Amino acid sequence: MSRFPGVDLATPGSIICILNIFTNTLTYLSSDAFSSIPSELVSDLQRMLSPNVSSRPTTMDFTGSPFFRTDTRLRALRFLDHMLERDNMQKLEFLKALSDMWKDFDSRALRYKVLPPLC
């Protein structure tokens, strides 16, 4: 059974029809679709969903948005990615701060991102 009623997936051009359905859906997303997303992230997310590839932000632009710059967990993960480049004082300060952050990370992040650089 097709997720697209009235569209025969075996017919040439059906992929274009499906693409048009998705494009129209993205173009006309209501503000309700973003109601559970933090307001400072909505405009960046809308740009990422743009059907025009050149309008989409790069990964660096997206993760550099104000929403991510202020997220302490993401900042901690970025520090861990470059832990070997840090001096001992920076590492010590980070480890002190990390002791209060353990509870903020989910178990996957702890297992695969936080613990390996510390071992």
Side-chain angles (χ1 to χ4, degrees):
M1 176 159 218
S2 173
R3 287 185 53 198
F4 306 99
V7 177
D8 180 10
L9 296 177
T11 304
S14 61
I15 300 299
I16 292 173
C17 180
I18 293 169
L19 181 61
N20 286 335
I21 291 169
F22 282 127
T23 300
N24 288 336
T25 302
L26 287 176
T27 303
Y28 299 108
L29 279 175
S30 68
S31 58
D32 291 342
F34 298 100
S35 63
S36 63
I37 297 170
S39 59
E40 60 270 11
L41 190 57
V42 170
S43 66
D44 291 320
L45 187 57
Q46 286 173 325
R47 285 182 37 229
M48 282 190 73
L49 295 172
S50 172
N52 182 355
V53 176
S54 62
S55 297
R56 297 178 197 154
T58 64
T59 305
M60 291 300 291
D61 290 339
F62 184 70
T63 58
S65 77
F67 176 79
F68 293 112
R69 280 192 301 245
T70 58
D71 187 302
T72 55
R73 291 171 298 182
L74 184 59
R75 291 177 62 206
L77 293 175
R78 286 181 178 157
F79 185 95
L80 287 166
D81 285 342
H82 300 283
M83 185 124 169
L84 295 175
E85 301 165 14
R86 309 297 181 166
D87 65 40
N88 288 337
M89 287 303 292
Q90 289 174 314
K91 291 176 186 176
L92 182 61
E93 290 299 315
F94 172 75
L95 292 173
K96 285 179 187 176
L98 187 62
S99 68
D100 295 330
M101 280 192 262
W102 287 110
K103 64 188 177 317
D104 297 334
F105 290 102
D106 67 35
S107 61
R108 255 182 354 168
L110 284 171
R111 181 179 299 142
Y112 297 110
K113 291 293 284 180
V114 176
L115 294 177
L118 299 176
C119 295

